[in-house]
Amino acid sequence: MFRTALRNVLAHKARLLMTVLAVMLGVAFVSGTLVFTNTISNAYQNSSAKGFDQVDVAVQPDYQESKGNKVGKTPELTQALLDRTARTPGAASAIGVVSGFTAMADKDGDLIGGGFQSQGGNYWGDKDPRYPLAEGTAPRGADQVAIDSETAKRAGYEVGDKVRLSIDGPVLSPTVTGIFTTDDGNVAAGGSLALFDTATAQKLFGKTGTYDEIDVKAAPGTSQTALKAALDKTLPAKLVETTTGKELADDQAELISSQMGSFRQMLLVFAGIALFVGTFIIANTFTMLVAQRTKELALLRAVGASRRQVTRSVLIEAFVVGTVAGVTGLVAGIGIGAGMRSLMGTLGATVPDGPLVVSGGTVATALAVGVLITMLAAWLPGRRAAKIPPVAAMSSVHAQATTKSLVLRNTLGALFSGAGVAVVLAATTMNGSDGQAPMGIGAVLLIIGVFILTPLLSRPLIAAAAPVLRVFGTAGKLARQNSVRNPRRTAATASALMIGLTLITGMTVMAGSLQKSIDKMASSAIRADYIVSMANGNELSPDVDTKLDATAGVTTTSPLRNAPSRIDGETEYLTGVNGSSIAKLTDLKVDSGTFKVGGGQVVVDSDTAKSRGWTAGSTFTAHYEDGKAQKLTVSAVYEGNELIRGIMVDNKALTPHLTDPADMQVLVKTADGASDATKDRLEKALGTNPAIKVQSKQDLSDDIAKMFTLILNMVYGLLAMAVLVAVLGVINTLAMSVFERSQEIGMLRAIGLDRKGVKRMVRLESLVISLFGGVLGIGLGVFFGWAAGELLGTKMATYELVLPWGRMALFLLGAAVVGVLAALWPARRAAKLNMLSAIKAE
């Protein structure tokens, strides 16, 4: 039986090639994902570990939880504490570290590093061991700066050039006195690092006389743990905490691994989809192969082979196919991983240098996936063939499915589909995250149910195409009959395409609906013409609001100022606004009370009010960070959204209690409304600062639209693998169907159907099957998109379902193109059959 199985594999090389390709693509996607994410993760971890080479122990402030009604404050690392650290036995040196966001512009004035990766800090003395100088000298004074070598190379800066920088608003133009090398992870990822002398850095980052961290280097012969123990004895335990360099490196490595884990999971989900689609093709292929060899298997049974041996022979074939597909998929996956690594550089994403990582786990996973998926898909056809009695197989009475099996299948499909729809509909009535798991379960049940029911659905849906197929005469009529002749095969082929289109359509519906709701939210909730914020999401200096308010053409402004407080023993962030102007800058729907902010009157969003049991007229006491308390009254409860929410307090009441006031955004209303000229005027008033974004409501929506478009394009690209596998499935099914119907095609040729008619028949059959899968996929995608939208609607009041008719038409057209292209080779093969040889074929 083993030799028989191997002979069958070698005898059907062409027919099994498509199966190998389908499995190989899925395995390549999985192994490529693992290689890529392991390589990137390893590169970042190695780069991060190098960054801690000069740190044996780090001394950091120990955040104390607030006591009573006072807001907790972070202890300061003073110069005295630094000196005390340096004198600790076992310490060779101690460096005070100051750091913070520092926006750096390139020579065109554009922000380098995407905002969040733009950092600044202090250069320690004349020769900082953390940052070896490649050129020039250490910075001295407020008009000098040193920059990293990667940024200098990317932006074209040299020693002596002026560079535009911004810390928290004001624009600086210091001279580059030095260019240094660094293993900083942000720089490796495409960010920038600007270093000032320590006194300047402390002043710029608001840390005068203090440090963010103290890095201690151990004396020769002193271990990191010994130095940490000595520092713990010397330094005040309630003010600081100490961490060894190894612990910092390990924590950073774990963080990087965790961050890459989410990305890896996302890619593996799409790889799983490709494999899931491939499973249909494998099952379909083995079903057809076994069906073609039914008499051969019956003869084996007649001469003494047991059912188990017949099943085992099919599984051996599957094992060989899966092994070949696993090995080739692994090799292709390594190439994909290397290609994705290079692609990131081409797209402008900088990644630290490092070797391509092909772990033992990746190799084992690729081979296991290839073999297991293939054998699982082949097990059912093999088991089904082994159950057929030899006499029945010889006479082919087994060919048609029994009424009992069809009733069982349809009943099972109806139960799964009904349960899936019920669970999805129930999930739409839940709130936010509570409904995510039930909706996922319901979606899986519904897809399984529809797949089981697809043979039943194929007849009426394909019959609906009959009037169109009649236009093509005899070829059209034969194509329709061939499509419904074997509903199970048609269902398995169409289902592969259905899954890909379900996901693509669902994502498109959700993205379009979300974009519409955000546009609606921006236009309905904000009356301001512009929203000003930092490019990296950090806080703005209060000077920004002052400068904007003094700009010609500006009629009203209001900063949105975040500040911590304690309410009923819990931390609650307040939003400071200009009470006299906030109503002119927003258009929030008021549920109860009168919208008024000033003195002790505040407005509260409905979610916060509900969670705390407040209504219009309720009073509560807020304890500020300076320890003082104020009694506040809720004047109104409004409907919050993703842009504006929380407890709004007048800045005149809030700011006196803040040590370092800072704004998250500034809302601006102008006399002339939003225009290019007005935007230029506002940007110039802020010193044409690359770190500050001045956005109109349309700019805000466009930014979000770009994000959705990027995500959608990524999803389309990832799902293209699943669609490609589905195309292979259509080609495979048609090719094997042509082989199976050789005698029939020969008879058709003999009674007058020409080669063009044969080609047209096969192409139309492929087109019908593909469109059938496309209609099912788009229908399910719209349903899932609507259901997910209903869930999102519980958190987003402005959510509105948008059906992208144009894109859905393109998806359906794409399914038709898939059908036509997939039929090219099988149709050509069918037309070339010699009619006499075909008629004599068994």
Side-chain angles (χ1 to χ4, degrees):
M1 293 303 295
F2 180 74
R3 287 196 299 271
T4 301
L6 290 180
R7 188 201 60 180
N8 283 324
V9 170
L10 297 174
H12 302 118
K13 291 187 289 288
R15 279 177 273 170
L16 289 173
L17 177 62
M18 293 296 178
T19 306
V20 171
L21 281 174
V23 183
M24 186 200 76
L25 283 172
V27 172
F29 205 161
V30 171
S31 55
T33 294
L34 293 174
V35 168
F36 172 67
T37 53
N38 288 341
T39 298
I40 299 299
S41 179
N42 182 69
Y44 274 116
Q45 286 176 11
N46 289 341
S47 175
S48 174
K50 288 179 184 176
F52 293 107
D53 285 348
Q54 298 300 321
V55 183
D56 285 321
V57 177
V59 180
Q60 298 165 321
D62 185 11
Y63 180 80
Q64 291 181 316
E65 189 62 34
S66 57
K67 298 178 181 179
N69 290 326
K70 291 185 178 180
V71 177
K73 296 181 68 175
T74 304
E76 295 178 335
L77 303 182
T78 62
Q79 183 63 40
L81 193 66
L82 173 63
D83 295 338
R84 190 174 171 183
T85 301
R87 292 194 300 268
T88 301
S93 63
I95 294 175
V97 179
V98 183
S99 61
F101 169 68
T102 302
M104 187 188 302
D106 58 22
K107 290 189 174 182
D108 295 325
D110 297 325
L111 180 66
I112 297 173
F116 70 95
Q117 294 171 332
S118 301
Q119 296 294 316
N122 65 312
Y123 192 92
W124 189 257
D126 295 323
K127 192 175 181 181
D128 194 327
R130 300 171 300 167
Y131 307 112
L133 283 170
E135 297 179 48
T137 60
R140 291 276 182 191
D143 61 344
Q144 295 186 2
V145 69
I147 64 174
D148 68 271
S149 56
E150 289 297 321
T151 298
K153 189 193 306 180
R154 286 194 295 265
Y157 284 124
E158 297 177 353
V159 172
D161 288 346
K162 292 281 187 181
V163 58
R164 289 172 62 81
L165 299 170
S166 175
I167 307 300
D168 61 355
V171 178
L172 308 172
S173 298
T175 301
V176 177
T177 62
I179 295 175
F180 58 87
T181 58
T182 178
D183 292 311
D184 186 279
N186 282 324
V187 172
S192 62
L193 181 60
L195 300 179
F196 308 90
D197 68 74
T198 300
T200 301
Q202 288 175 323
K203 182 179 177 181
L204 290 174
F205 297 122
K207 311 278 177 59
T208 304
T210 65
Y211 303 95
D212 294 307
E213 180 176 304
I214 297 172
D215 291 344
V216 190
K217 188 71 177 170
T222 304
S223 67
Q224 290 187 354
T225 52
L227 178 58
K228 180 181 183 302
L231 288 169
D232 287 340
K233 290 179 181 178
T234 304
L235 303 179
K238 293 184 179 179
L239 293 179
V240 299
E241 60 179 354
T242 57
T243 312
T244 65
K246 185 180 184 306
E247 289 173 338
L248 289 173
D250 290 345
D251 289 345
Q252 187 73 7
E254 188 177 340
L255 177 64
I256 292 170
S257 180
S258 174
Q259 291 171 341
M260 290 303 297
S262 301
F263 185 50
R264 183 187 293 116
Q265 285 175 5
M266 182 191 74
L267 290 176
L268 286 176
V269 164
F270 288 101
I273 292 167
L275 282 171
F276 186 57
V277 171
T279 303
F280 289 114
I281 299 171
I282 301 163
N284 216 13
T285 301
F286 275 95
T287 299
M288 295 171 74
L289 285 173
V290 169
Q292 290 171 14
R293 289 166 35 216
T294 301
K295 288 186 179 181
E296 175 190 328
L297 294 175
L299 184 59
L300 289 172
R301 289 286 312 282
V303 296
S306 66
R307 288 183 178 182
R308 187 173 295 177
Q309 286 178 307
V310 169
T311 304
R312 194 180 300 146
S313 71
V314 176
L315 290 178
I316 290 170
E317 289 182 52
F319 176 79
V320 173
V321 171
T323 303
V324 172
V327 172
T328 54
L330 173 62
V331 174
I334 293 171
I336 289 172
M340 290 174 72
R341 169 85 165 68
S342 301
L343 182 63
M344 287 189 72
T346 305
L347 296 175
T350 307
V351 179
D353 293 331
L356 199 67
V357 178
V358 184
S359 66
T362 300
V363 174
T365 301
L367 293 176
V369 166
V371 173
L372 287 176
I373 290 292
T374 310
M375 292 185 71
L376 283 173
W379 176 74
L380 192 60
R383 185 169 174 270
R384 191 185 299 131
K387 282 188 172 182
I388 300 170
V391 176
M394 292 291 190
S395 58
S396 298
V397 296
H398 67 287
Q400 298 297 324
T402 63
T403 303
K404 180 181 177 182
S405 69
L406 292 174
V407 170
L408 180 62
R409 181 183 181 119
N410 294 337
T411 302
L412 193 62
L415 289 174
F416 268 97
S417 299
V421 170
V423 174
V424 169
L425 291 178
T428 61
T429 63
M430 300 178 184
N431 287 324
S433 56
D434 293 341
Q436 290 178 5
M439 184 164 290
I441 294 170
V444 171
L445 289 173
L446 180 54
I447 288 176
I448 292 172
V450 170
F451 169 67
I452 296 172
L453 284 175
T454 308
L456 179 66
L457 297 172
S458 65
R459 290 185 180 276
L461 287 177
I462 292 176
V468 178
L469 291 174
R470 286 196 194 103
V471 175
F472 297 95
T474 303
K477 182 179 180 181
L478 289 170
R480 185 183 66 81
Q481 291 175 345
N482 289 334
S483 300
V484 296
R485 176 186 296 182
N486 192 331
R488 289 183 176 180
R489 183 189 302 163
T490 298
T493 306
S495 294
L497 197 57
M498 175 192 79
I499 293 168
L501 283 177
T502 296
L503 294 165
I504 289 173
T505 305
M507 291 294 294
T508 304
V509 169
M510 282 184 62
S513 301
L514 278 170
Q515 181 59 47
K516 178 76 173 179
S517 66
I518 289 166
D519 288 344
K520 189 176 176 182
M521 183 190 300
S523 60
S524 63
I526 299 176
R527 288 177 179 168
D529 296 316
Y530 291 97
I531 301 97
V532 180
S533 61
M534 289 291 278
N536 68 330
N538 274 8
E539 298 171 331
L540 286 164
S541 166
D543 291 341
V544 172
D545 177 51
T546 304
K547 289 179 180 178
L548 289 170
D549 195 41
T551 304
V554 173
T555 57
T556 311
T557 67
S558 175
L560 302 182
R561 184 166 296 167
N562 272 13
S565 71
R566 298 287 288 183
I567 299 174
D568 296 332
E570 297 178 359
T571 299
E572 184 77 59
Y573 277 83
L574 307 176
T575 301
V577 298
N578 286 351
S580 59
S581 60
I582 190 63
K584 301 173 187 175
L585 296 164
T586 59
D587 189 17
L588 300 167
K589 183 181 177 182
V590 177
D591 292 337
S592 60
T594 303
F595 196 95
K596 185 178 180 182
V597 181
Q601 291 188 304
V602 301
V603 293
V604 183
D605 70 284
S606 53
D607 288 342
T608 303
K610 183 179 179 182
S611 66
R612 292 192 173 273
W614 295 340
T615 58
S618 296
T619 60
F620 61 92
T621 301
H623 299 267
Y624 300 114
E625 67 177 7
D626 63 355
K628 295 181 180 178
Q630 182 180 13
K631 190 174 183 180
L632 301 173
T633 302
V634 178
S635 65
V637 176
Y638 68 92
E639 288 188 9
N641 55 52
E642 297 300 315
L643 299 177
I644 299 177
R645 61 174 62 201
I647 304 171
M648 291 191 199
V649 184
D650 192 353
N651 275 325
K652 292 179 181 178
L654 179 64
T655 304
H657 301 286
L658 304 180
T659 305
D660 186 19
D663 305 325
M664 295 306 297
Q665 294 175 328
V666 178
L667 303 181
V668 183
K669 186 79 174 171
T670 61
D672 300 329
S675 67
D676 290 340
T678 302
K679 185 175 181 178
D680 287 342
R681 191 161 60 246
L682 294 177
E683 288 178 342
K684 286 178 181 177
L686 297 173
T688 316
N689 193 323
I692 299 178
K693 291 194 297 186
V694 179
Q695 294 180 294
S696 65
K697 288 184 283 187
Q698 188 58 51
D699 292 335
L700 194 65
S701 295
D702 290 345
D703 267 5
I704 296 168
K706 286 178 185 176
M707 180 182 69
F708 282 133
T709 301
L710 179 65
I711 293 171
L712 263 186
N713 288 340
M714 191 192 303
V715 169
Y716 289 161
L718 292 170
L719 287 176
M721 183 70 74
V723 174
L724 180 59
V725 174
V727 172
L728 288 174
V730 177
I731 296 172
N732 208 17
T733 299
L734 289 172
M736 297 186 76
S737 179
V738 166
F739 178 83
E740 195 177 76
R741 302 200 314 259
S742 295
Q743 192 176 55
E744 175 189 320
I745 292 171
M747 289 296 295
L748 289 171
R749 290 289 314 283
I751 60 176
L753 189 66
D754 59 11
R755 292 181 186 272
K756 286 184 178 180
V758 172
K759 284 184 179 180
R760 191 178 299 120
M761 175 186 73
V762 176
R763 287 170 184 163
L764 288 173
E765 180 183 348
S766 175
L767 181 65
V768 167
I769 292 172
S770 297
L771 286 175
F772 170 51
V775 168
L776 283 180
I778 291 171
L780 281 174
V782 169
F783 176 70
F784 290 139
W786 165 81
E790 289 293 301
L791 201 59
L792 283 170
T794 61
K795 294 291 185 182
M796 190 176 287
T798 56
Y799 186 85
E800 178 183 338
L801 179 67
V802 175
L803 294 180
W805 296 107
R807 288 206 176 192
M808 288 194 294
L810 284 176
F811 296 157
L812 197 59
L813 179 63
V817 171
V818 163
V820 172
L821 293 177
L824 290 179
W825 177 61
R828 190 164 172 268
R829 183 182 177 191
K832 280 189 171 183
L833 284 174
N834 182 290
M835 68 177 77
L836 293 178
S837 299
I839 291 171
K840 292 189 296 180
E842 285 292 331

